[in-house]
Amino acid sequence: MQIDLVALIVDEYDPAIAFFTDVLGFDLVEDSPSLTNDGRPKRWVVVRPPGAQTGILLARADGEQQRAAIGNQVAGRVGFFYRVDDFDAAYRRMAEADVTFVREPRTEPYGRVAVFLDIAGNRWDLLGAS
């Protein structure tokens, strides 16, 4: 068993795809036309870190309740954890791409960590070895 996908509510598909692929280095696994439960057009968009099994379904907000959750999927906590092989290179690349870091890099018992915001405003930990 495994967790295949985690949904992330976004404002629009294309800027979210660009953030995850161009800035974070994820692969665009799928971008297919689809339909909502009531038959309206949408897209099925999946991004995934290279080599990872679990992906992120980028879900465009549909309705006020979902729009209100953009950037607050986990009530302001860090809810996503992005582990990289080269922390310093990833941090530098992301900073150069104007990613907002809300906590600068620090060393913890589990490794290096810096908190950043994704394109929707959700908090992530960038994680790497000490």
Side-chain angles (χ1 to χ4, degrees):
M1 287 186 265
Q2 71 178 26
I3 295 175
D4 188 45
L5 296 172
V6 174
L8 185 69
I9 302 169
V10 298
D11 190 39
E12 291 294 335
Y13 295 113
D14 292 328
I17 291 168
F19 176 82
F20 282 96
T21 59
D22 297 343
V23 176
L24 296 188
F26 285 28
D27 294 328
L28 177 60
V29 177
E30 186 172 358
D31 185 355
S32 303
S34 188
L35 297 173
T36 62
N37 290 336
D38 60 1
R40 291 173 290 119
K42 69 174 187 175
R43 288 160 61 186
W44 183 262
V45 178
V46 177
V47 294
R48 182 178 293 134
Q53 291 186 352
T54 303
I56 297 174
L57 174 70
L58 299 176
R60 186 179 63 196
D62 185 17
E64 276 309 306
Q65 183 179 12
Q66 291 182 22
R67 275 191 282 286
I70 295 172
N72 196 28
Q73 295 221 178
V74 291
R77 294 184 61 116
V78 171
F80 306 95
F81 304 84
Y82 181 38
R83 183 166 297 280
V84 295
D85 292 330
D86 187 335
F87 181 91
D88 291 327
Y91 178 81
R92 189 171 40 258
R93 183 182 73 248
M94 292 167 65
E96 289 170 358
D98 294 325
V99 170
T100 300
F101 281 89
V102 295
R103 294 236 167 40
E104 294 301 312
R106 65 186 191 277
T107 300
E108 295 290 343
Y110 51 84
R112 303 272 317 274
V113 61
V115 180
F116 70 94
L117 302 179
D118 68 19
I119 190 167
N122 296 295
R123 289 173 182 256
W124 289 64
D125 272 356
L126 174 65
L127 299 167
S130 301

